[in-house]
């Protein structure tokens, strides 16, 4: 019998079953964007993210300083999704022989730039040899009340901060060797230098019932809110297409703008459920009773599969 | 000009220069066993460690559950070195295609066993595809007063909890394909299943002036205390050789027991500087004015190079 393996979600569930344990002051373990720890009246929000050469990026698609920047922002984005202020981080870097000291310095400079932008320094880490470049970045954040994936209610609006689909267009452009195409320049830049929306997360946390960041694609990540909250999420196609640069990039690639918006990852936009408007966010749909994700046009509705990036799919 | 590259220490110093930043409640950044954060009157101690297949271990040398156990204990050992209580951890796993679900479950079981032993659950993490197996484990610990590498004084005794050299003998046995040699069985077991000495670290923290855990070899790690504290560390050869199992393992390997004790890593013993005895620790030497590491016999003294494991040496 050939074991086809489990998808990412079932693998995480397996590990969560093995590792589940009660511990003092641990309020939330495996299964959300970050773990939540209690420290007096304050909460600590704690996450780890990995960037692997050949999986998350290829050399030539970006500079080493971009690798440092992206790895830092991607990790911090989970704090934004919980509504936490970024406090500080650690980074563990695995260096193959062919990543030289100049490259390592550029990685450090990218981490420095990103952590300055976040106001959260990298305060330690680890260096190791290895056959392939990887960097694990872990961040601690602080907040009074973390926003989870669960908690959305039927009737809530779906609110978006940032853009969805453009980073995926940039990635496609790089995969196709079209980084020099002026029509795709913005998309490539967005993919290379994403921003963790920590400040928008702080605003969102004042009113949101649930939230997540879009790392694996809007349909997939919004699907996590739908699952955890037990609601159906209706997305309005028009609002997704009404995004600066998305249709132009899709046209240049011969791709579908709506597919990019629904299934493209690595934008690190924030999606929140709220019954009141959130400053800096735009409304892209609503929650209703039911399950799953629905795409709504002026004349029709269709169910959307929670496709998107799955390391083991 | 061929760039020969920097050694591990200089690479870390380069990153530390780039990333150094003041931040609220960050008391200690890059350069010790762990970062130290202030949270009210309590300190958080925070570390990350990496295990990479082909660098830290090879398949066949140990089971996947041992990989889970070792990675957890190696990370927690930095908390022991600071005198902190282990609170909880995150683990980011990079899985190549040929590590199947059964192996992943075994890794999780090893993490579970180690974290139960530590009383510190794994509360989150990350799963990613990649060309080579790696696991990054980050732990948070708590204490009132972390013990740093600096702070040792001339006149302090050098105190050891645990054994040094035996894990390196076990590793040599595995490298030589001699895991079945009964005379090396204990050494192999010690290498496969190290213990973070968290409880001894708590005791040590009541009186110690400085401390470190022995991951890269006694001479190298004690050398970090000597450097950071500005003292010379004198080790008594007799006390190092008077260790259960060390000479027998060295003889079976045709290796030097004293070389194993001085330069063998991955024992995760604790070395502390204290002017009073530490319960559970034995005295292996003393600090005096000066620099570096000296090995003393009944009749002579010699300087010891801070050899040991260096990923970039």
């Amino acid at each position: 019998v050939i074991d086809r393996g489990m998808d990412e979600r079932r693998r995480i569930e397996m590990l969560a079953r093995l590792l589940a344990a009660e511990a003092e002051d641990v309020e939330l373990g495996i299964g959300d964007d970050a773990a939540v720890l209690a420290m007096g009246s304050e909460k600590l929000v704690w996450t780890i993210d990995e960037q692997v050469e050949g999986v998350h990026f290829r050399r030539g698609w970006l500079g080493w300083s971009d690798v440092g920047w992206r790895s830092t922002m991607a990790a911090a984005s989970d704090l934004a999704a919980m509504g936490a202020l970024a406090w500080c981080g650690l980074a563990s870097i695995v260096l193959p022989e062919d990543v030289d000291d100049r490259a390592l310095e550029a990685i450090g400079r990218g981490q420095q730039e990103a952590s300055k932008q976040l106001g959260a320094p990298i305060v330690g880490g680890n260096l190791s040899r290895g056959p392939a470049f990887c960097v694990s970045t872990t961040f601690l954040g602080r907040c009074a009340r973390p926003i989870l994936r669960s908690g959305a209610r039927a009737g809530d609006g779906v609110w978006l901060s940032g853009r969805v689909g453009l980073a995926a267009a940039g990635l496609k452009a790089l995969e196709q060797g079209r980084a020099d195409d002026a029509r795709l320049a913005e998309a490539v830049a967005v993919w290379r230098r994403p921003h963790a929306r920590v400040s928008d997360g702080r605003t969102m946390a004042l009113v949101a019932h649930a939230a997540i960041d879009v790392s694996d694609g809007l349909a997939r990540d919004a699907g996590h809110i739908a699952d955890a909250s037990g609601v159906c999420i209706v997305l309005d196609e028009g609002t997704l297409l009404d995004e600066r640069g998305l249709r132009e990039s899709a046209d240049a690639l011969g791709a579908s703008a709506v597919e990019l918006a629904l299934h493209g990852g690595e934008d690190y936009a924030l999606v929140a459920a709220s019954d009141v408007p959130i400053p800096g966010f735009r409304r892209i749909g609503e929650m209703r009773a039911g399950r799953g994700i629905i795409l709504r046009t002026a004349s029709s509705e269709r169910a959307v599969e929670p496709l998107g990036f799955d390391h083991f799919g």
Side-chain angles (χ1 to χ4, degrees), chain A:
Chain A
V1 179
I2 297 171
D3 181 4
R4 297 289 301 283
M6 295 182 273
D7 66 13
E8 187 171 344
R9 178 185 169 145
R10 282 188 299 134
R11 286 180 192 231
I12 291 170
E13 286 172 353
M14 178 191 72
L15 290 174
R17 275 193 304 276
L18 278 172
L19 298 173
E22 294 289 311
E24 196 186 357
D25 296 335
V26 175
E27 299 204 340
L28 184 66
I30 296 169
D32 212 296
D33 292 306
V36 178
L37 313 177
M39 195 87 187
S41 62
E42 207 174 0
K43 308 296 183 206
L44 289 182
V45 172
W46 190 20
T47 185
I48 190 165
D49 191 68
E50 185 101 29
Q51 293 280 320
V52 182
E53 183 183 353
V55 175
H56 299 91
F57 69 93
R58 291 187 194 283
R59 292 185 213 184
W61 288 0
L62 75 183
W64 283 112
S65 67
D66 298 323
V67 172
W69 172 285
R70 291 186 89 240
S71 59
T72 306
M73 285 295 182
S77 180
D78 284 324
L79 303 184
M82 305 286 271
L85 195 64
W87 184 7
C88 51
L90 306 177
S92 178
I93 301 176
V94 175
L95 285 176
E97 296 270 354
D98 63 353
V99 178
D100 64 12
D101 293 341
R102 197 171 302 174
L104 181 62
E105 192 177 350
I107 292 163
R109 203 170 314 111
Q111 292 176 313
Q112 176 197 48
E113 289 161 8
S115 73
K116 274 191 182 162
Q117 173 104 11
L118 293 164
I122 305 286
V123 296
N126 192 73
L127 275 185
S128 173
R129 271 275 174 250
F133 178 89
C134 317
V135 53
S136 299
T137 310
T138 176
F139 263 99
L140 277 171
R142 301 163 77 158
C143 62
R145 182 181 76 101
I147 308 300
L148 310 185
R149 295 173 179 183
S150 55
R153 307 167 200 160
D156 283 349
V158 181
W159 297 87
L160 180 75
S161 156
R163 299 192 272 180
V164 287
L166 206 62
L171 178 58
K172 266 186 200 292
L174 290 163
E175 285 170 344
Q176 296 175 12
R178 296 177 59 193
D180 295 334
D181 187 328
R183 294 172 301 166
L184 294 165
E186 191 189 4
V188 168
V190 161
W191 181 81
R192 284 183 178 148
R193 292 255 168 173
H195 285 261
R197 310 185 75 83
V198 172
S199 170
D200 287 335
R202 300 289 286 166
T203 306
M204 169 274 284
L206 298 173
V207 294
H209 299 152
I212 197 165
D213 64 318
V214 182
S215 52
D216 296 331
L218 176 62
R220 187 179 176 86
D221 289 317
H224 291 315
I225 291 183
D227 286 350
S229 299
V231 296
C232 169
I233 295 184
V234 182
L235 300 171
D236 286 315
E237 187 179 89
T239 63
L240 298 182
L241 295 176
D242 183 22
E243 184 178 288
R244 183 165 49 87
L246 177 62
R247 274 201 255 215
E248 296 75 1
S249 301
D251 287 348
L253 289 162
S256 154
V258 70
E259 290 297 307
L260 283 172
L262 285 174
H263 304 303
E266 301 191 304
D267 288 292
Y268 302 104
L270 295 184
V271 176
S274 170
D275 56 2
V276 295
I278 310 173
F281 287 63
R282 64 198 178 93
R283 187 179 170 113
I284 60 167
E286 70 199 27
M287 316 277 174
R288 66 185 184 201
R291 295 272 159 172
I293 305 288
I294 283 175
L295 186 70
R296 178 167 65 186
T297 66
S299 58
S300 70
E301 292 190 351
R302 70 173 170 93
V304 175
E305 288 299 308
L307 301 175
F309 192 74
D310 183 331
H311 278 281
F312 306 98

